[in-house]
Structure formats: structure tokens, C-alpha cells
Amino acid sequence: MPTEPSVALVTLGCTRNEVDSEELAGRLQQQGWRLVADAADADVAVVNTCGFVEQAKKDSIDTLLEAGELKETGRTQAVVAVGCLAERYGADLAAELPEADAVLGFDSYADMSEHLRTILDGGSVTPHVPRDRRTLLPLAPAARPGAGAVSLPGHGQAPLSQVAPASGPPVLRARLGEAPWAPLKIASGCDRRCAFCAIPTFRGAFVSRQPDEILTEARWLAERGVRELFLVSENTTSYGKDLGDLTLLERLLPELAAVSGIERVRVSYLQPAEIRPSLLEVMAHTPGVVPYFDISFQHASGPLLRRMRRFGDRESFLGLLGQVRERLPEAGVRTNVIVGFPGETEEDVTELMSFLEQARLDVVGVFGYSDEDGTEAQQHAGKHPEHVIAERVNRVSAWVEELSAQRAADRIGQCVSVLVEEWDPETGEVSGRAEQQGPDVDGTTTLLAGGHLEVGDLVRAEVCDSAGVDLIARVLEGRQNGEDRTKAVTGAR
């Protein structure tokens, strides 16, 4: 085996998984592994799987099978499954998927280098045995800090001997891309008990990261060219509750926005029942915190939401959006909804569609219900046939597509600040994201007459057209730096 074996991290699923992959990359790099981008060029392909919904599981298994084929055609000697699917199914997945040389859970991350070397040397690693990770920490959030060594991917946990920072706490992470934005994990796990969701069983109870760790990682990212921080967790509005201060996020946001080199801070995964007026005030009035609200509504029918073990209804959600827009009239809002949940009636669907029309949301992800192992809803009566769920998904998706396109068209004439993310040297086309557009899933903004711009520049532009959820904007000024950039972020408010 070469003295410096190579490894590729293949990441599926959400931005939280991206953080976990970069932490794994940092661990492996510190312990003598060479990181490569293409699994075909690596001695080991580590596939960070997603286990959220049925389609995500299928995509993860397909990727593992494709990686397994590289052992026959390329350099790759081993394929290892990690991430949520591996944590959730462990040994059962290993038995059904011999193409994977190992299936490792979160508790294996600290020893990943040793496991991979064992596999390359011809040995084997015992497959992960799943357990309900909610049971690993005390029920009371305040009792969780210091309650034991529980693996928390993306929290940068490592013995100090494994890293040699110049000063301050270590940052155990290696960037796997060059985008001018990066996800930054502020917490893991979830204490909510939504009837359709299995995430708490394999991600565990809610645990906040310490503010100083988050700020250290933010500075580290800024030093590596990151201009926008995308704060991620399973439930951002709960941040700080286990640290004894539920308003801790309100104090953390201004500190993150003040980090040298960071121009924008974006908050994600907000629970509507936990959004506080104080949080709205800080998000609305802190320079650098973008006017963007990723709110998890899931539906709008009150009775159905109770069946889902959720709070709220159409009127309360519209009231919350009214509070947001009272402070930030041009705020961007996105959400996800589930249709076809057991017991959902046609009246419930009508209520949802009425809410979506009134809510004027920028982006809506529409998901069809599917049974998830170990969830309460798996045992519910009133299940709908697959064709009924598919018809409702198609109907609501078509409605959402029309409404989202209209919402984008409503932005014509508005001034926005755009973070440049791509430049095509052949066509000269420059694109990025306005404040109202989150990474990957919320559309893009194409810039016209931008002159010479570079990835990472922040520019002011006027929206002159739209195409679906995408915006087309004419640059008003060239690139901006320092204080001017901060003004570009806040000037559109």
C-alpha cells in the first residue's frame, strides 16, 4: 500500500452532509491521506449517503453500486458507506450491498483513517449496528453539555493531538470545493417528534455547538475565500436551548456577520412554532444577515398538521409571514410541504393550495408522503394509494411552479445584491445568487453587462426579467469590497 493512500469523498443529500464530508476529509488529511475529487482516481471511495426519504435512499444505493463498479475498471480498491443511510441501517445495508466493503456509522468517524487502512490491507471492519441515538443523551437539553462522548458529525470533535493549529481551538475540516459560500453547522439532532420524520432516531437529540467553535470555523472559512456562511442544523431556531440561552442565536448572528471577509450570513431550517420576535428583529436589522427565511411549514391544514404532530395552520402561518414582511418587505421565503400524508383529504389539499397562493413564497419543495421505518405515521390508518399521492404531488407542484414564477416576476425592478458564483469563459455568462436565493435549490441570478467580474464578487444589480424562479439582472455597479460590500448586502432593504 502506498505511504500516502488516496481517498475521494462522494457526498449525497443536504448541506449538513457536506459539512460532515469536509470534516471527514479534514480527519483523513491530517492522518496522511491524499484527497482527490474523482472516485475513479482514489484508492478508497467514501460515499456519504442520505437516508431521509425513499428517493434519497435509492440515490445513495445507486451511487454505492456505481462506485463498486470502479473496483473492476479503475484504481479504486474499496468502497465505504457512511452517512445517514449507513447510520440508519448499518449491518442490514452491509448484508444487502456486498459492493460496499464497509458500512460505518457516525461513531466510526473519529477512527476513519484506521478503518480505511484496515480495509486496504485486506482486513474487514465490523458493520455498524444501528440504535436510537435519541437515547444517548439526557432527555433534558440543559443536562446534555458534557454528558458523554457522543459522536456529532460536523462539530469538529477531535483530540488536540490530531491537529496543530496556529492558535485557538482546532478546525477539523478540509474544503472539498471552491465555491464562495460554505455551510457552517451550528447544531445537530432534533427534539421534535414529527410523525413522518425518522431523522431524530439516527441523528440523535438536539445539541448546539459552542459559539466560540462556530466563530473559529467561520474565520477559518473566510481565510479560504468563503464570502457567504450558510448556517445549517436540523432545527436552527432551537440553537442555544441546551446551553441555557434560547436567545444565543440572536447574539451569534452579529458576531458572524462581523467576521473579516464574510459578506453574507444566511440562516436555514427555521421552525415556525419557534420563531421569536427577537430573532426576526436581529435577522432584519443586522448588516450582512440576508433577508432570507427558510421556514418549515410542511402543510397548512390545521387538523392535518396535528396528525403530523406539528403546530400551526394557514392563518397563523400567514400571520408569521406578515411579521417577516413588516420588517423586510422584499424578504425571500422558501418552504417544503408534504402531500398525501395519511388521512389527508381533498379539503386539506385545497387549504394548502390556498395558503400557497396567499403566502407569496419564492420557492416551495413539494414531497409526496412515503412511509419511513420507525416513524409514528408508518402505523397511521388512512394511507393513500401511490397513484393518489402522485396525482397530488403533480397538482401541487404545477401550482407551485406557476406561483413561484409569478413571485420571481414580481421582483422585476427591484435592486438586489448578487454573489457571483459562476463565470463561463466561452459565453461570458456570469451568474450567482441574490439575497433571496439560497444555495443549490432556490434558483440563480444571471448578470447582464457585468464587465469583468470574478467568482466571489458581490455586485448591485436591478432585476430586469425572470425565467421560472431564476432572475435576470443588470449590473448597476462593479465589484465591491469591504464596507461597500456590506452596504450592497443591506442596501436593498
Side-chain angles (χ1 to χ4, degrees):
M1 186 179 70
T3 56
E4 190 184 48
S6 58
V7 60
L9 278 295
V10 181
T11 307
L12 301 169
C14 65
T15 47
R16 299 186 294 274
N17 250 17
E18 293 180 24
V19 178
D20 297 352
S21 285
E22 292 199 344
E23 182 188 275
L24 274 175
R27 291 182 185 277
L28 294 171
Q29 191 175 57
Q30 287 284 345
Q31 297 179 38
W33 289 78
R34 180 168 55 89
L35 304 177
V36 298
D38 192 336
D41 298 328
D43 296 314
V44 183
V46 176
V47 180
N48 191 353
T49 61
C50 179
F52 178 42
V53 293
E54 200 61 38
Q55 185 58 51
K57 298 176 198 173
K58 182 180 183 302
D59 292 343
S60 294
I61 291 172
D62 288 345
T63 300
L64 286 165
L65 292 173
E66 292 169 5
E69 294 176 359
L70 296 176
K71 292 189 288 184
E72 305 296 328
T73 61
R75 170 176 176 161
T76 308
Q77 300 175 50
V79 174
V80 175
V82 299
C84 292
L85 190 70
E87 174 67 36
R88 189 173 180 185
Y89 294 105
D92 288 342
L93 179 64
E96 296 177 9
L97 202 68
E99 290 82 0
D101 296 276
V103 176
L104 304 178
F106 298 147
D107 294 332
S108 298
Y109 283 23
D111 301 315
M112 189 60 63
S113 176
E114 178 182 343
H115 294 321
L116 299 189
R117 290 181 185 274
T118 295
I119 294 167
L120 283 184
D121 286 338
S124 60
V125 180
T126 303
H128 165 66
V129 177
R131 53 181 170 170
D132 188 337
R133 297 189 72 84
R134 293 174 295 186
T135 64
L136 302 182
L137 288 170
L139 183 62
R144 290 172 191 164
V150 176
S151 180
L152 298 168
H155 283 225
Q157 298 168 302
L160 293 178
S161 60
Q162 290 186 8
V163 291
S167 63
V171 172
L172 192 59
R173 183 169 179 175
R175 294 215 71 200
L176 296 175
E178 299 179 349
W181 70 275
L184 175 56
K185 186 174 285 192
I186 67 170
S188 288
C190 185
D191 289 338
R192 304 187 74 88
R193 295 294 180 264
C194 302
F196 52 81
C197 183
I199 288 176
T201 63
F202 57 85
R203 279 289 183 177
F206 184 88
V207 179
S208 303
R209 291 184 74 186
Q210 292 289 340
D212 61 337
E213 296 174 3
I214 296 169
L215 286 164
T216 296
E217 190 163 327
R219 296 185 189 103
W220 182 89
L221 289 166
E223 290 167 0
R224 284 151 184 80
V226 170
R227 294 294 169 260
E228 177 181 308
L229 299 174
F230 187 42
L231 306 188
V232 299
S233 71
E234 273 77 26
N235 179 4
T236 298
T237 36
S238 282
Y239 178 73
K241 72 174 185 179
D242 52 321
L243 302 179
D245 186 356
L246 195 54
T247 65
L248 196 54
L249 182 60
E250 283 94 304
R251 296 204 303 277
L252 179 62
L253 286 174
E255 293 186 73
L256 287 169
V259 170
S260 179
I262 296 301
E263 314 295 349
R264 306 205 302 200
V265 177
R266 187 177 301 274
V267 183
S268 67
Y269 302 107
L270 302 172
Q271 287 288 342
E274 298 180 30
I275 295 177
R276 307 170 292 278
S278 60
L279 178 58
L280 291 180
E281 286 295 310
V282 171
M283 291 181 68
H285 300 300
T286 301
V289 176
V290 296
Y292 173 85
F293 292 80
D294 175 12
I295 305 177
S296 176
F297 289 124
Q298 301 301 344
H299 211 280
S301 165
L304 189 70
L305 284 164
R306 304 303 168 271
R307 190 170 170 84
M308 291 180 169
R309 292 200 178 276
R310 304 275 300 183
F311 297 93
D313 54 25
R314 178 167 63 95
E315 291 303 322
S316 65
F317 292 164
L318 290 174
L320 174 59
L321 291 172
Q323 294 180 52
V324 169
R325 288 172 176 143
E326 180 181 358
R327 294 168 172 86
L328 296 166
E330 296 175 359
V333 186
R334 80 166 331 271
T335 195
N336 293 320
V337 298
I338 297 172
V339 295
F341 189 81
E344 181 187 59
T345 65
E346 277 295 332
E347 289 75 17
D348 293 329
V349 178
T350 299
E351 181 78 348
L352 173 61
M353 295 177 72
S354 175
F355 165 71
L356 294 174
E357 182 177 20
Q358 294 177 279
R360 297 171 56 242
L361 305 175
D362 291 80
V363 177
V364 181
V366 182
F367 294 87
Y369 171 81
S370 61
D371 278 337
E372 291 298 319
D373 296 332
T375 60
E376 179 183 324
Q378 189 179 26
Q379 309 303 321
H380 277 355
K383 298 282 180 64
H384 294 289
E386 288 188 10
H387 74 272
V388 171
I389 296 175
E391 186 278 327
R392 291 182 180 180
V393 168
N394 291 337
R395 191 192 333 161
V396 176
S397 295
W399 185 231
V400 161
E401 184 175 351
E402 180 180 338
L403 294 173
S404 299
Q406 182 58 54
R407 178 64 173 154
D410 290 343
R411 294 197 179 277
I412 294 174
Q414 291 183 10
C415 289
V416 295
S417 63
V418 180
L419 180 66
V420 176
E421 295 187 331
E422 293 185 10
W423 173 68
D424 188 330
E426 294 185 3
T427 65
E429 182 174 287
V430 179
S431 64
R433 287 178 296 108
E435 310 101 303
Q436 297 87 358
Q437 296 171 317
D440 294 336
V441 293
D442 290 350
T444 61
T445 298
T446 298
L447 293 170
L448 304 177
H452 180 66
L453 296 174
E454 297 178 359
V455 171
D457 286 338
L458 193 68
V459 299
R460 293 279 289 159
E462 181 179 355
V463 179
C464 57
D465 203 353
S466 64
V469 297
D470 297 327
L471 304 177
I472 300 168
R474 190 172 304 280
V475 173
L476 299 176
E477 305 169 14
R479 73 183 74 170
Q480 303 187 22
N481 297 288
E483 183 180 350
D484 289 339
R485 279 189 166 188
T486 300
K487 291 177 181 176
V489 173
T490 58
R493 298 188 184 185

